């Protein structure tokens, strides 16, 4: 349930929801392994080789899914530099990085996302994606628990909760809402 932010990014975005919760067995087939990230520094004309190196170094220390944005007119090492990490998908991380950047920029020019973080070996089209921390909790907490159990996630903040009681889906939602305070928690795993 940890987050990493650069320049105080605020995560207030909406993410995609699953139609119905998955079982742990199905989730194991679709989730990426926790750990190393794949860093994609976007090919943008205003980025120098030094900028690319710095962005790669900063991103290497973070958990997936993530994004880094800044206002090119402000410069890379400016107040506008914002990272949003440990989200449940790249679009949510991009939105959070952009929101934080727009709130901090000093120029009239808009912010741009310059870097994305994904799990190593990432490929599009998987049914479920979880943040680095939620993926770790899936393996260490959710899978080891007996049913009934559920995991709820907040797409806009990347936070999550796991519950293991007779009312697990409702408990997970309640715990997630208390932590995330975003009003968007959904149950993604339940059995």
């Amino acid at each position: 349930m940890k987050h990493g932010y650069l320049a105080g990014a605020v995560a207030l975005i909406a993410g995609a929801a699953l139609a119905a919760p998955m079982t742990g067995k199905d989730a194991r087939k679709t989730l990426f392994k926790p750990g190393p990230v794949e860093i994609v520094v976007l090919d943008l004309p205003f980025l120098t080789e030094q900028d690319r190196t710095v962005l790669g170094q900063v991103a290497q220390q973070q958990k997936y899914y993530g994004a880094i944005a800044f206002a090119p007119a402000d410069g890379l090492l400016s107040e506008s530099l914002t990272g949003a990490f440990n989200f449940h998908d790249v679009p949510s991380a991009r939105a959070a990085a952009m929101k934080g950047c727009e709130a901090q920029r000093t120029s009239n020019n808009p912010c741009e996302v310059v870097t994305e973080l994904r799990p190593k070996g990432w490929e599009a089209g998987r049914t479920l994606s979880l943040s680095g921390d939620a993926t770790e909790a899936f393996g260490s907490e959710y899978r080891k628990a007996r049913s009934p159990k559920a995991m709820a996630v907040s797409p806009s903040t990347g936070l999550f909760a796991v519950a293991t009681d007779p009312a697990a889906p409702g408990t997970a939602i309640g715990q997630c809402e208390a932590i995330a305070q975003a009003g968007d928690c959904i149950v993604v795993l339940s059995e």
Side-chain angles (χ1 to χ4, degrees), residues 141-163:
E141 193 176 337
Y142 184 86
R143 284 187 53 215
K144 294 179 180 179
R146 292 180 181 231
S147 294
K149 58 187 174 180
M151 177 184 275
V153 302
S154 166
S156 69
T157 67
L159 296 172
F160 66 93
V162 174

Side-chain angles (χ1 to χ4, degrees), residues 7-59:
V10 177
L12 298 172
I13 43 78
L18 292 174
M22 297 179 91
T23 65
K25 183 178 179 181
D26 291 336
R28 276 182 61 191
K29 297 174 187 174
T30 193
L31 291 174
F32 293 95
K33 292 181 180 180
V37 296
E38 179 178 292
I39 301 164
V40 179
V41 179
L42 303 178
D43 187 21
L44 300 169
F46 57 84
L47 292 176
T48 67
E49 282 307 311
Q50 183 177 0
D51 292 342
R52 292 174 192 285
T53 300
V54 168
L55 289 166
Q57 290 171 342
V58 169

